[in-house]
Amino acid sequence: KNQVEQSPQSLIILEGKNCTLQCNYTVSPFSNLRWYKQDTGRGPVSLTIMTFSENTKSNGRYTATLDADTKQSSLHITASQLSDSASYICVVSPRGSTLGRLYFGRGTQLTVWP
Amino acid sequence: NAGVTQTPKFQVLKTGQSMTLQCAQDMNHNSMYWYRQDPGMGLRLIYYSASEGTTDKGEVPNGYNVSRLNKREFSLRLESAAPSQTSVYFCASASGPASGLYEQYFGPGTRLTVT
């Protein structure tokens, strides 16, 4: 069964600290993996998209890593800011899908305290 | 350039009532999507449209119908609302299919409550 599991479910850190969010998936065959940021009351916004051949991709203070062999990804946030408080969602796209199907994780709720 | 817009933002329905959620994008995208997001669950695909005139069922299509009116607009209709359809509904669009490296752009969502 195709699944995307994220951990932790929630996380609280102090402003300026770093953190790492985890994503494990069983989707196969695999096309690409995405990380989205969703602020409360808003739609998700894309942070990174990686293919199976990419190991790392950065977007400012956000760095995503991918290990396609172990089916694991992580999102590292450096020097956190209050505006980083949001839900971070890992999304996996299967290869060959004609239905536009994406598999969404349940998200990690990050809270950054001053 | 407004991106993806959705109307209404909030709606309360009684069981059995019908309504249509509207979605429009101004990015000339081919693919459009309807998702629902429930507390503690990931987004789930309701329906998908790869291009004008085509629609496909997603993971949870029961109780919904869609219309791809033109390239810009993709509407979602609840014919007889049920409390289980209480959710936040998101519309999204992309240049191409999800299996490609096409970024999906989401609207702000419609918060629907069915009593």
Side-chain angles (χ1 to χ4, degrees):
Chain A
K1 182 179 179 183
N2 289 320
Q3 286 186 311
V4 179
E5 301 287 344
Q6 292 187 245
S7 62
Q9 195 171 14
S10 62
L11 181 64
I12 299 174
I13 62 173
L14 294 177
E15 187 178 13
K17 298 297 186 183
N18 304 334
C19 68
T20 301
L21 314 180
Q22 301 290 344
C23 173
N24 295 333
Y25 62 93
T26 60
V27 178
S28 183
F30 162 80
S31 174
N32 60 78
L33 185 144
R34 306 154 186 245
W35 282 94
Y36 284 87
K37 178 187 179 187
Q38 184 175 21
D39 293 318
T40 301
R42 293 179 173 254
V45 174
S46 178
L47 294 175
T48 62
I49 302 177
M50 291 188 291
T51 67
F52 62 88
S53 61
E54 295 178 289
N55 298 118
T56 303
K57 183 161 271 190
S58 292
N59 178 358
R61 295 179 296 102
Y62 301 101
T63 300
T65 65
L66 174 63
D67 185 334
D69 291 331
T70 61
K71 295 185 170 55
Q72 295 180 324
S73 176
S74 65
L75 181 69
H76 185 74
I77 304 175
T78 304
S80 61
Q81 300 176 358
L82 298 178
S83 59
D84 291 332
S85 294
S87 178
Y88 291 84
I89 304 172
C90 176
V91 185
V92 179
S93 173
R95 184 154 30 100
S97 170
T98 59
L99 295 179
R101 182 81 164 92
L102 292 175
Y103 292 89
F104 288 79
R106 298 183 179 187
T108 292
Q109 184 65 47
L110 175 66
T111 303
V112 181
W113 283 3
Chain B
N1 189 339
V4 179
T5 58
Q6 293 183 236
T7 56
K9 285 188 168 49
F10 300 94
Q11 183 71 49
V12 178
L13 290 178
K14 293 184 177 177
T15 298
Q17 288 185 319
S18 62
M19 78 161 296
T20 299
L21 281 63
Q22 306 287 353
C23 173
Q25 51 90 10
D26 61 2
M27 296 175 281
N28 200 36
H29 285 167
N30 292 313
S31 300
M32 296 187 74
Y33 309 79
W34 275 107
Y35 294 96
R36 61 178 289 174
Q37 186 175 38
D38 300 301
M41 299 190 69
L43 277 81
R44 292 182 291 171
L45 182 66
I46 304 172
Y47 269 95
Y48 162 62
S49 172
S51 61
E52 182 180 350
T54 68
T55 61
D56 287 294
K57 294 179 180 180
E59 184 182 2
V60 287
N62 292 344
Y64 306 96
N65 286 303
V66 291
S67 295
R68 184 74 183 267
L69 305 169
N70 47 56
K71 193 171 187 179
R72 289 188 66 249
E73 299 171 292
F74 189 37
S75 62
L76 178 71
R77 182 159 179 84
L78 286 71
E79 290 292 351
S80 179
S84 61
Q85 294 178 305
T86 294
S87 188
V88 181
Y89 292 85
F90 288 100
C91 177
S93 72
S95 296
S99 56
L101 296 177
Y102 299 103
E103 186 171 328
Q104 287 196 8
Y105 294 85
F106 286 80
T110 293
R111 283 144 189 83
L112 175 67
T113 301
V114 183
T115 61

